[in-house]
Amino acid sequence: MSRGEEEVDIASPLNRTGANEGESNSVQPTVSSPPATSTARTANSQPSGPNSAPPGPTRAPAVATRVAAGPTRVAPEPTRVPPGATRAPVPANRPPGPARPPASRPVGPTRTPGPVRGTPRPNARPGVNPLVYKIRRVSALRRYCVPVTTAILIIASLAVIGILIKVVLDNYYFFCTKSVKFIPLDKWCDGTQDCSNNEDELRCVQRVDFSNRSLVRFTDSSSIVQVYASGRWNYVCFDGFDAARAKAVCAQLGYSSNPTFSFASTSDQNGAFSTIQVVDSGIQVNPITGCSSGNIVSLSCITCGVNHKKQRIIGGVETSIENSPWQVSLQYMGQHSCGGSILTPRIILSAAHCFQKNEQQVDRWRVQAGRASLSYIFASQVDKIFVHTLYNLNQKPYDIAILKLQSDLTLSASIQPICLPGFDVSLPDNAPLLVTGWGHTVEGGAALASTLQEVSINLISSNVCNQEYSNQVRDTMMCAGRLSGGVDTCQGDSGGPLVYLGEESHWEQVGVVSWGDGCGRPGKVGVYTRVSSFLSWIYGIMKSEL
């Protein structure tokens, strides 16, 4: 009989419920029903044996039938479906079986859903709650940033308070570091010792006289060098003269740069002659009767007074610093006070009256170079200030001063030294001169000029000048301006250079802005310190500070 005609109740998990119901009820006649044919299509039966063991049985659904003979239930072995067979669909009228318990599997980390498309995925560490991560991050910021920010604010506040205290003290007191005490500012540099070891009088303006210490000088024409020996001035023969001798001669004047020299004929010179020998102390002068080569030395100790294009203060016009690269601003406590001029990278020439009684403190002065507009940053510090020993605030002669900087200026197109004139300079009548400065542009003006001004004026004879100034103009002074008025120097121009374009096409400083009656008044021209009268004093200081 075929498998579909066998009237047996096949035991399977799917119809276990029906079997249980049959066992619990009493035995009743069984009504035979047509056999249910399985809808599963299976492969041909294969013999069982060692060579035909399938990898695993496939359970085929079967229809449960009742045995008419009696209550005994026969549970034949389940039919095994060979591998590869398709599971038959479950009949629609099959009663549901018991729910299958879920398979046990290890619990892994909950997967965080990804961001919405277009939204960048948060950079959170695996297994860390983003909210907890943000809370920890905020806590770390509060833990470290708040104390650091507070500390910075406290330090900044203390620094500001310290600066304010220092400004107040600097404006009213001088601190004696060695004796640890404050003294009123008017006792600083007053000539009286108020601190231990004379500390309050060490860094002050010095009065010196070096008028008779220079042993070298130059003529204004051709810069012929002369040296002093045996009670007279001697020309230096070109015979055997070299760079070492040139540098030794310039060192006698306080120049340390590399000099240049040439020769000039002795036919136009009347005087004594000598040769130069370099010794440990400087130079040794050896007088001779004449130069065998027939030539004498022309010497230039520094490149100076470079001729820039010029246009030919009160009535002045603005100019660039490249037109007057020797012009500097002297500043006291951050404010422009006077002008000055560069003689060497470390030596500045100015006027003595710029350093009033209450402005004698060297450490409060600065020098600004290389700028046409007034600026108070990156100014050079001053090391020493010298004024002529005969200068008196109540008198106008000897109005000249020298400043020595703590470090050399860097020479450039906007920073250049001015040439000093020769000892025998003689300017022609009505000679054209040029003066520059940042002083007031009108008499009694409240503000300085913000940009460097220049004005072209002319030499005025001392006789004409003294008619207006009641013979106050001395031989150590000179006058320049316009008798008609309108152009002149004014307050703030003091100490600045009055320059003249010499024969060698180099600008040389012939005067220092000193004093005058008003600014630009008719007949009241400006009065200047005559530089040629103080060459020995200037060279003496330069040599002593080399």
Side-chain angles (χ1 to χ4, degrees):
M1 184 173 60
S2 66
R3 187 180 299 270
E5 296 177 353
E6 183 179 2
E7 294 181 357
V8 294
D9 187 6
I10 300 174
S12 68
L14 297 177
N15 44 22
R16 188 181 301 271
T17 303
N20 294 335
E21 291 177 355
E23 293 177 356
S24 61
N25 296 332
S26 58
V27 176
Q28 295 181 1
T30 303
V31 180
S32 299
S33 59
T37 305
S38 175
T39 59
R41 185 180 298 272
T42 60
N44 295 330
S45 299
Q46 297 179 359
S48 60
N51 298 328
S52 60
T58 301
R59 187 181 302 273
V63 180
T65 58
R66 294 182 180 275
V67 179
T72 304
R73 183 179 299 273
V74 179
E77 292 184 2
T79 305
R80 297 182 180 272
V81 181
T86 304
R87 176 176 294 185
V90 179
N93 58 356
R94 187 184 65 183
R100 178 179 295 179
S104 60
R105 55 185 299 182
V107 179
T110 303
R111 182 175 181 181
T112 303
V116 181
R117 178 171 296 180
T119 305
R121 184 183 297 273
N123 188 18
R125 291 176 295 178
V128 178
N129 191 325
L131 182 59
V132 175
Y133 175 75
K134 291 181 179 179
I135 293 175
R136 291 177 179 175
R137 186 175 181 181
V138 171
S139 300
L141 291 176
R142 291 178 179 175
R143 182 178 180 183
Y144 297 106
C145 292
V146 172
V148 170
T149 304
T150 304
I152 292 175
L153 292 176
I154 294 174
I155 293 173
S157 301
L158 294 176
V160 171
I161 294 173
I163 292 174
L164 293 176
I165 293 175
K166 184 178 186 304
V167 170
V168 172
L169 292 177
D170 287 346
N171 287 331
Y172 296 97
Y173 296 96
F174 173 78
F175 179 64
C176 304
T177 57
K178 296 181 179 179
S179 53
V180 192
K181 68 176 182 179
F182 290 93
I183 62 173
L185 196 61
D186 57 0
K187 294 183 177 296
W188 185 11
C189 294
D190 63 346
T192 303
Q193 177 178 337
D194 296 294
C195 300
S196 61
N197 298 324
N198 203 29
E199 183 181 356
D200 57 321
E201 302 296 326
L202 294 179
R203 303 273 305 155
C204 305
V205 175
Q206 305 177 41
R207 294 178 174 271
V208 294
D209 185 11
F210 290 99
S211 299
N212 298 315
R213 297 191 182 185
S214 177
L215 300 178
V216 179
R217 68 182 187 181
F218 298 100
T219 64
D220 191 65
S221 177
S222 302
S223 192
I224 304 299
V225 61
Q226 293 182 345
V227 292
Y228 191 80
S230 301
R232 59 183 180 179
W233 290 98
N234 301 269
Y235 292 103
V236 178
C237 291
F238 193 74
D239 307 57
F241 195 81
D242 56 14
R245 289 177 171 84
K247 195 161 188 175
V249 170
C250 289
Q252 297 299 308
L253 302 177
Y255 291 105
S256 59
S257 56
N258 294 322
T260 60
F261 60 93
S262 60
F263 61 88
S265 176
T266 60
S267 58
D268 298 330
Q269 308 296 336
N270 295 319
F273 301 94
S274 64
T275 59
I276 296 295
Q277 183 178 354
V278 180
V279 295
D280 293 338
S281 58
I283 61 173
Q284 179 178 319
V285 181
N286 302 314
I288 57 175
T289 56
C291 300
S292 58
S293 64
N295 295 318
I296 53 179
V297 175
S298 172
L299 180 62
S300 176
C301 291
I302 192 172
T303 301
C304 57
V306 178
N307 184 12
H308 295 277
K309 183 179 180 180
K310 296 282 188 180
Q311 296 180 357
R312 294 269 191 220
I313 302 193
I314 297 289
V317 296
E318 291 185 358
T319 183
S320 66
I321 193 63
E322 287 78 13
N323 286 339
S324 299
W326 41 81
Q327 175 79 49
V328 299
S329 166
L330 271 59
Q331 301 169 358
Y332 181 76
M333 294 187 67
Q335 297 294 326
H336 172 81
S337 179
C338 283
S341 55
I342 302 171
L343 299 185
T344 73
R346 194 171 286 201
I347 299 296
I348 307 297
L349 179 64
S350 189
H353 79 267
C354 293
F355 308 98
Q356 300 295 324
K357 184 178 181 180
N358 59 344
E359 297 178 351
Q360 301 276 304
Q361 305 87 4
V362 173
D363 293 332
R364 295 196 164 191
W365 285 93
R366 298 289 187 272
V367 173
Q368 183 65 264
R371 296 177 180 269
S373 58
L374 282 179
S375 174
Y376 305 102
I377 59 174
F378 305 118
S380 299
Q381 294 182 324
V382 179
D383 184 38
K384 296 179 181 179
I385 300 176
F386 304 95
V387 298
H388 200 285
T389 188
L390 298 180
Y391 174 74
N392 192 310
L393 290 175
N394 298 323
Q395 300 177 359
K396 297 180 175 64
Y398 306 101
D399 189 13
I400 193 166
I402 288 287
L403 293 83
K404 180 186 178 183
L405 305 180
Q406 291 188 7
S407 59
D408 289 353
L409 296 173
T410 302
L411 300 183
S412 64
S414 58
I415 301 178
Q416 289 287 324
I418 184 67
C419 298
L420 289 173
F423 74 94
D424 57 349
V425 62
S426 179
L427 300 180
D429 293 339
N430 204 36
L433 305 172
L434 193 73
V435 65
T436 51
W438 287 277
H440 298 290
T441 54
V442 294
E443 183 177 344
L448 299 169
S450 59
T451 304
L452 184 64
Q453 304 284 306
E454 70 173 14
V455 62
S456 181
I457 54 180
N458 300 96
L459 178 68
I460 305 297
S461 68
S462 296
N463 292 333
V464 174
C465 195
N466 270 322
Q467 293 176 7
E468 294 290 340
Y469 286 116
S470 302
N471 295 322
Q472 297 183 69
V473 179
R474 308 290 180 87
D475 292 340
T476 57
M477 307 175 190
M478 60 186 297
C479 297
R482 295 181 186 175
L483 294 175
S484 59
V487 293
D488 194 9
T489 54
C490 202
Q491 282 77 21
D493 293 320
S494 295
L498 177 70
V499 298
Y500 171 71
L501 188 59
E503 296 180 1
E504 303 298 325
S505 297
H506 288 280
W507 291 93
E508 55 187 35
Q509 184 171 352
V510 294
V512 176
V513 180
S514 183
W515 60 279
D517 189 357
C519 302
R521 299 178 183 179
K524 301 292 186 178
V525 296
V527 182
Y528 299 79
T529 300
R530 190 185 296 272
V531 173
S532 60
S533 299
F534 296 95
L535 289 174
S536 181
W537 184 83
I538 295 171
Y539 286 139
I541 294 177
M542 289 172 57
K543 179 183 178 182
S544 67
E545 296 301 319
L546 184 62

